[in-house]
């Protein structure tokens, strides 16, 4: 019996150590190591000086601001679809924000935790302008460019078998190589997540006059990943997202956050840490969400700047609108 009690105690202690591991590591290091994509317009793209910008990047900045008090204390690690999960599993990165689809198998088999969805997307197809293709059935027998290690590769096969379409996948380990090959004319079509815009295409593709087919063949809920057994860190990632959504609902922005911290509205006080102990319960300063919001704004601001009307993509909020405006974004209560 004593052995069982001792063993149980040791497991409990080791569990607590694992839960606090990443948060402690980030604080001691003084820098957040964030896994992002090599280059995906609107989500993570380095400029000519190597500075990353995008929706996923803004989440990394908000996290660094909340945990370390400085949005610039982030080191970005550009990852491919094939090595992204291994990088997180091995501890090379602290969190994965890399436009990664959340699925059953990824949640159950990788030893990782899936955080709240921060972008609802779908898999579509781009075709050559001279192909005369207007629907997916017209792609029967076509060569289709697809990225290796993605849900797109699996969905492409599933959809083809279910609908009697025989296409010839041409698989790439890097998306930039896939784009080059597609624009070079080796593929009749290219499939990947394609955010829906009024023109149903991305500016990169519009520049080549390339049509995007209207059909979407999958649900692609994108969001962050953390390691199993790291519950405190996983909670921080989750509540960061909920806090950015809540800020938008309460009218808290990057510009007015400091002033709003003086509000007498209880919900705003709790969110911004002027009342309650919501930050300290996660091992953070009570004003961690105030710092996170000041770094880049609420979710709506992040969306509009990177993929919305203020960006080259010009996307509508759609499913990414808040629940009050017909979308799926919903913050759990801060109380």
């Amino acid at each position: 019996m004593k052995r069982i009690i001792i063993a149980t105690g040791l497991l409990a202690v080791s569990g607590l150590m694992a839960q606090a591991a990443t948060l402690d590591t980030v604080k001691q290091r003084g820098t957040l190591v964030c896994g992002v994509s090599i280059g995906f317009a609107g989500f993570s793209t380095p400029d000519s000086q190597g500075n990353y910008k995008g929706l996923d990047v803004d989440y990394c900045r908000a996290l660094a601001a909340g945990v370390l008090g400085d949005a610039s204390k982030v080191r970005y690690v550009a990852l491919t679809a094939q090595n992204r999960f291994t990088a997180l599993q091995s501890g090379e990165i602290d969190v994965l924000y890399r436009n990664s689809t959340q699925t059953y198998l990824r949640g159950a088999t990788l030893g990782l935790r899936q955080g709240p969805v921060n972008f609802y997307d779908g898999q579509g197809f781009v075709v050559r302008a001279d192909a005369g293709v207007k629907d997916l059935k017209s792609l029967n027998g076509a060569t289709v460019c697809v990225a290796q290690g993605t849900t797109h590769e699996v969905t492409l096969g599933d959809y083809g078998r279910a609908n009697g379409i025989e296409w010839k996948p041409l698989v790439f380990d890097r998306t930039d190589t896939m784009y080059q090959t597609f624009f070079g004319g080796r593929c009749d079509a290219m499939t990947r997540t394609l955010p829906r815009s009024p023109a149903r295409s991305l500016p990169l593709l519009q520049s080549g006059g390339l049509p995007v087919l209207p059909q979407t063949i999958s649900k692609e809920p994108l969001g962050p990943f953390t390691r199993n057994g790291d519950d405190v860190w996983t909670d921080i990632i989750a509540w960061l997202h909920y806090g950015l959504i809540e800020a938008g609902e309460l009218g808290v922005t990057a510009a007015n956050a400091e002033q709003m911290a003086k509000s007498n509205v209880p919900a705003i006080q709790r969110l911004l840490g002027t009342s309650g102990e919501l930050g300290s319960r996660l091992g953070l300063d009570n004003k961690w969400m105030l710092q996170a919001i000041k770094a880049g704004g609420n979710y709506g601001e992040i969306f509009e700047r990177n993929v919305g009307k203020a960006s080259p993509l010009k996307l509508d909020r759609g499913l990414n609108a808040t629940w009050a405006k017909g979308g799926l974004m919903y913050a759990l209560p801060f109380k």
Side-chain angles (χ1 to χ4, degrees), residues 59 102 115-121 220-224 241 299 320 329:
Y59 266 84
Q102 301 187 354
V117 175
N118 63 15
F119 194 88
Y120 291 93
D121 208 343
E220 301 292 332
L222 311 180
H241 173 70
Y299 178 81
N320 296 295
M329 289 297 172

Side-chain angles (χ1 to χ4, degrees), residues 25 56 77 107 119 149 155 189 247 269 308-309 319 331:
T25 298
D56 287 340
V77 178
F119 194 88
T155 303
Q269 291 178 341
K309 299 301 183 183
L319 295 178

Side-chain angles (χ1 to χ4, degrees), residues 103-124:
T103 71
Y104 175 89
L105 287 178
R106 287 177 176 176
T109 65
L110 295 179
L112 302 176
R113 294 286 298 278
Q114 301 176 137
V117 175
N118 63 15
F119 194 88
Y120 291 93
D121 208 343
Q123 181 176 341

Side-chain angles (χ1 to χ4, degrees), residues 109-284:
T109 65
L110 295 179
L112 302 176
R113 294 286 298 278
Q114 301 176 137
V117 175
N118 63 15
F119 194 88
Y120 291 93
D121 208 343
Q123 181 176 341
F125 289 78
V126 186
V127 296
R128 294 205 321 268
D130 60 355
V133 175
K134 295 183 179 180
D135 55 39
L136 291 180
K137 291 184 178 180
S138 302
L139 288 175
N140 190 41
T143 299
V144 180
C145 285
V146 61
Q148 188 174 21
T150 64
T151 55
H152 315 142
E153 187 179 8
V154 177
T155 303
L156 182 67
D158 288 348
Y159 190 89
R161 286 187 292 273
N163 293 275
I165 301 175
E166 294 185 9
W167 28 47
K168 303 169 185 175
L170 191 57
V171 182
F172 299 86
D173 60 355
R174 292 174 59 98
T175 54
D176 53 352
T177 305
M178 179 177 71
Y179 270 109
Q180 292 169 7
T181 304
F182 174 69
F183 284 115
R186 284 189 59 194
C187 299
D188 302 301
M190 176 175 63
T191 185
R192 63 166 302 165
T193 49
L194 295 171
R196 302 289 94 181
S197 73
R200 297 200 309 274
S201 66
L202 299 172
L204 175 62
L205 304 173
Q206 286 178 315
S207 65
L210 301 172
V212 175
L213 299 183
Q215 296 93 338
T216 300
I217 66 171
S218 72
K219 295 179 290 185
E220 301 292 332
L222 311 180
F225 285 74
T226 55
R227 287 180 286 273
N228 274 350
D230 216 344
D231 292 354
V232 171
W233 185 244
T234 296
D235 283 345
I236 290 171
I237 302 302
W239 285 104
L240 172 69
H241 173 70
Y242 295 137
L244 296 176
I245 298 295
E246 180 89 339
E249 295 188 357
L250 295 173
V252 181
T253 67
N256 71 13
E258 284 284 3
Q259 185 62 33
M260 291 289 277
K262 302 174 185 178
S263 170
N264 59 4
V265 176
I268 296 176
Q269 291 178 341
R270 287 192 294 268
L271 176 68
L272 301 183
T274 54
S275 71
E277 301 292 331
L278 299 187
S280 61
R281 294 174 186 274
L282 291 174
L284 302 173

Side-chain angles (χ1 to χ4, degrees), residues 22-33 68 75 91-94:
T22 302
L23 177 59
D24 289 345
T25 298
V26 171
K27 286 183 174 181
Q28 291 168 9
R29 187 196 303 130
T31 304
L32 172 71
V33 183
L68 299 172
R75 178 166 66 86
E92 179 184 349
I93 59 175
D94 301 317

